Each structure stands twice: as structure tokens, then as C-alpha cells.
Amino acid sequence: MSNHEFYMDLALQNAQAMKGQTDPNPLVGSVIVNDNRVVGIGAHLKAGEPHAEIHAIRMAGEKAKGGTIYVTLEPCSHHGRTGPCAVAIVEAGIKRVVIATLDPNPIVAGNGVKILRDTGIEVIIGVREEESRSMNEVFNKFIVEKKPFITLKAGTTLDGKIATHTSESKWITSEDARLDVHKLRNENMGILVGVNTVIKDNPELTTRIPNGRNPIRIILDSSLRIPLNSKVITDGVAETWIFTSKNHDLDRRKTLEASGVTIFETSGSHHVDPNDVVSILGEKLVSSVLIEGGGTINSSFLETRLIDKVVLYFAPKLIGGKDAPTFLEGTGAEKMRDVVELTNTSFVKLGKDFKFLGYPVYPNEG
């Protein structure tokens, strides 16, 4: 491992520690080194607050002059809610900048590097690039497409069942797996289910870990059938957004809105189009969504090619039965050439269970 990789790893660790705090901004870490000593360190903590480079420069003070700064993402070059970090680096007298990856944001996209190089600062790009891009998979999609990064999550038995044929589902997975799910919720801005899940389970859809962030609770309900005494309506601990169709109950809508629920009417006459949901969420700056729906909701998003990542928790159990629900229903593929393949896959053991992670490659996408 080179010195550059060692210090960039430290910057990546600092950035990762802020996961779930910076949305819709990226995770960014920074380290300043002078005379083979770390003199400044920083991470972006929250949107609207100083960037990682600024925290590191402030910590280093005069020791930043003549040093090397390591940053996991290209320093910004524009005036947003904070000033341009590239200019701050120049003013600090730093002589070398090591960058993991360029910023995909069209506003930046190489302009930060240009500012640095135009003033004679040495710039090295590509140290731990893959790790940095993977860390910011949410930001990398959202800043370019203006749509949220969508993760499909399900807890299933080995035969793909999410409940028995009598709808009993507590608990398929172990406590270790359920704790990991709460960490996933903490990392996402929204959590999405269908109204049938609310009717059947009356879930809270909150994050139950210390200092956890409760995501926006997103419910798809084409006719506003949601019970008014549902926890997501009455508990007041997190925002609840309901997406409905054009033909919904107007009186029911007024009652729900009076309870503090936000209602979005989509283009469908009797159903909610997932594409409408994704577009509206992007407009509302929701950069990441975790889907925890049933088989119908899950399939509707997969069939419209909106799922970016799949996380499955497999319990070593078998339920069986053709009437027991699975985590993917809908029509499904007709031929093997139409199936969705998952790549960049991994398995880890969580207590008694196994966590699977993969990224969909849709047919004809190459």
C-alpha cells in the first residue's frame, strides 16, 4: 500500500462514518498531511454545512501550508450554500491535492481540478476511485438523473417466501438481520410500502437504533384506503407521504391532510405509476428510497426497471406452499432472456441468517 492509498483510506473512513447524514449531498472525507504527519482531518457532516476540505483546513491551520490534502471527491468550484473548496485549498497554500474521483455533478465536473492546476498546484486523480464511487452510489445517480437511488429489501426464507399462506410473517429473519434493516433505514431518506402492508401489519416504518434518522414514510394507495388509525398517520414521529391516483376519495384526502399527511396525486386513473412516484420524489430532493413492500409493489418497481440495488436477508427456513406469498410476484419474465441478472454480488452471514447484495442488470442493457 502506498502512502497515497493509506491516507485516502483514512479519508474514506471518515466519509463513511457520516452515512445517512449528508443527503442529498455526497459523502466526502479529507485528510491533510505535512512532513509525514496528519495535521488536519474532516468530513462533510450535513447539507448546507462546511465541506470536508474546510473542516480539515481549519484543523490544520498554518500547518496546511505546503502540505498535501487527500479528498475522496473533487473539490467543488462553485458558490452554493458554502464557498468553493478549490479556492479555499489555494488560499491555504496547499501544494498537492490527491483526489479519489471527479465529481459527476455537471456544475463541478473537472472545474475544481482546473482551478487547482491553473494556480500551479499538483493534482493526482484516481487513488481509491472505485471505493469512492461505490460509497457515493446514491449521489452519483441523483446528481445526474435527478431521481432517487432505489434499494429493494426483503426478508425471506430460502424458498423465497415472506409469510405463510395464513399471512404470518413474524419473524422470518433473526434479530441480527432486523437490526441491519434498521441501519438501512437510517441510510435512506425514504421508506416505501404499499397500502396493503399498512392495512395488514400496521407498521411504524421508523429507525430503531440510537440516534437513528426516521425516513419519510411513503405509501402507495390508489384510492386512499389507508386506515385513519394507522401508526404512520397518528404517531407523528416522521413525515408520511401518500401517492394516490386521480380517482381517490376527496373527503378522505381532506381528513388525511388535516392529520398532517402529504398527498401526491399521480397520473393514473385507478393506479399509481411507479415512474410518477420516482419523478416526484426526485423533484422533492429525496435522493434515496428503501422499498419494503410486498410482492406486488416489489415487482412493479422491478418490472419498470427502477430498482438500483437488491438487499435480501435469507433465513435458513422453508415455508413451502403455492399460496404462501413471495417477495416478487406480478407477471414475471416469460423467457430466460428476459430475466433480470444481479451482478457485483456478495453474501455475508448475520447471526443465523445471510445477507445478499446485488445490482440489477436489466435485459438489453448490456
Side-chain angles (χ1 to χ4, degrees):
M1 180 188 296
S2 69
N3 284 344
H4 288 334
E5 292 170 331
F6 175 83
Y7 291 121
M8 189 63 77
D9 284 347
L10 182 57
L12 286 165
Q13 290 168 19
N14 287 318
Q16 283 275 21
M18 299 302 112
K19 197 165 188 179
Q21 289 190 191
T22 65
D23 304 305
N25 284 5
L27 296 164
V28 185
S30 183
V31 172
I32 299 176
V33 178
N34 208 337
D35 291 331
N36 297 316
R37 291 178 59 244
V38 173
V39 296
I41 194 165
H44 182 44
L45 305 178
K46 185 179 180 181
E49 294 188 1
H51 292 181
E53 301 95 313
I54 304 303
H55 285 299
I57 288 170
R58 288 174 179 174
M59 179 181 288
E62 288 299 316
K63 295 176 182 176
K65 191 172 184 179
T68 297
I69 186 168
Y70 294 83
V71 61
T72 59
L73 187 68
E74 178 184 5
C76 64
S77 57
H78 63 289
H79 287 270
R81 284 186 282 182
T82 60
C85 292
V87 173
I89 290 170
V90 173
E91 293 174 346
I94 291 170
K95 295 301 182 185
R96 180 194 293 146
V97 181
V98 182
I99 301 168
T101 186
L102 295 179
D103 193 332
N105 185 349
I107 297 175
V108 183
N111 292 324
V113 169
K114 185 177 186 303
I115 289 173
L116 298 170
R117 285 178 170 161
D118 284 351
T119 58
I121 292 176
E122 179 188 359
V123 179
I124 299 172
I125 304 169
V127 176
R128 297 296 196 221
E129 180 174 9
E130 183 178 343
E131 291 84 350
S132 177
R133 291 186 61 80
S134 175
M135 175 179 70
N136 274 317
E137 60 187 7
V138 169
F139 173 77
N140 293 341
K141 178 187 178 182
F142 182 74
I143 200 63
V144 174
E145 300 183 26
K146 308 302 180 187
K147 294 180 180 179
F149 186 94
I150 299 180
T151 300
L152 169 63
K153 166 264 164 183
T156 85
T157 57
L158 290 180
D159 52 345
K161 307 296 186 181
I162 57 174
T164 67
H165 73 277
T166 61
S167 298
E168 185 177 344
S169 60
K170 294 183 179 179
W171 292 103
I172 286 178
T173 55
S174 66
E175 186 174 344
D176 295 285
R178 297 197 298 274
L179 175 59
D180 199 70
V181 170
H182 284 288
K183 293 177 181 177
L184 263 182
R185 290 181 178 182
N186 181 63
E187 294 170 2
N188 282 269
M189 292 187 70
I191 178 171
L192 186 151
V193 300
V195 67
N196 287 332
T197 295
V198 177
I199 292 171
K200 181 169 66 74
D201 297 334
N202 194 19
E204 296 175 44
L205 301 179
T206 53
T207 300
R208 291 184 286 280
I209 58 175
N211 300 313
R213 172 184 67 170
N214 287 328
I216 300 165
R217 299 174 296 195
I218 302 163
I219 317 296
L220 306 194
D221 184 356
S222 60
S223 58
L224 299 184
R225 294 186 295 124
I226 189 168
L228 297 178
N229 62 351
S230 301
K231 292 176 183 176
V232 295
I233 305 297
T234 62
D235 63 15
V237 299
E239 289 187 71
T240 297
W241 295 359
I242 296 179
F243 287 78
T244 190
S245 69
K246 289 187 175 299
N247 290 299
H248 60 269
D249 188 321
L250 294 177
D251 291 333
R252 188 84 160 184
R253 175 174 183 162
K254 292 177 182 178
T255 302
L256 288 166
E257 289 177 331
S259 300
V261 175
T262 301
I263 307 291
F264 295 98
E265 182 180 310
T266 58
S267 64
S269 57
H270 293 91
H271 75 285
V272 177
D273 188 333
N275 287 293
D276 289 346
V277 176
V278 168
S279 295
I280 293 170
L281 290 174
E283 292 171 2
K284 297 299 179 181
L285 301 183
V286 176
S287 62
S288 57
V289 174
L290 180 66
I291 295 182
E292 290 195 30
T296 300
I297 290 290
N298 295 346
S299 293
S300 69
F301 276 81
L302 189 70
E303 289 170 2
T304 46
R305 303 187 174 206
L306 294 172
I307 302 298
D308 298 296
K309 184 176 182 178
V310 175
V311 179
L312 301 176
Y313 297 88
F314 286 105
K317 301 173 183 177
L318 299 171
I319 289 179
K322 64 182 178 64
D323 294 326
T326 62
F327 76 94
L328 279 180
E329 296 183 354
T331 304
E334 290 186 6
K335 299 181 181 298
M336 286 305 298
R337 66 169 179 264
D338 300 322
V339 304
V340 177
E341 183 178 355
L342 299 176
T343 62
N344 298 327
T345 58
S346 63
F347 261 108
V348 294
K349 199 168 189 304
L350 288 175
K352 298 178 180 178
D353 302 331
F354 296 89
K355 178 182 179 180
F356 168 86
L357 187 153
Y359 295 83
V361 176
Y362 296 97
N364 302 319
E365 280 194 343

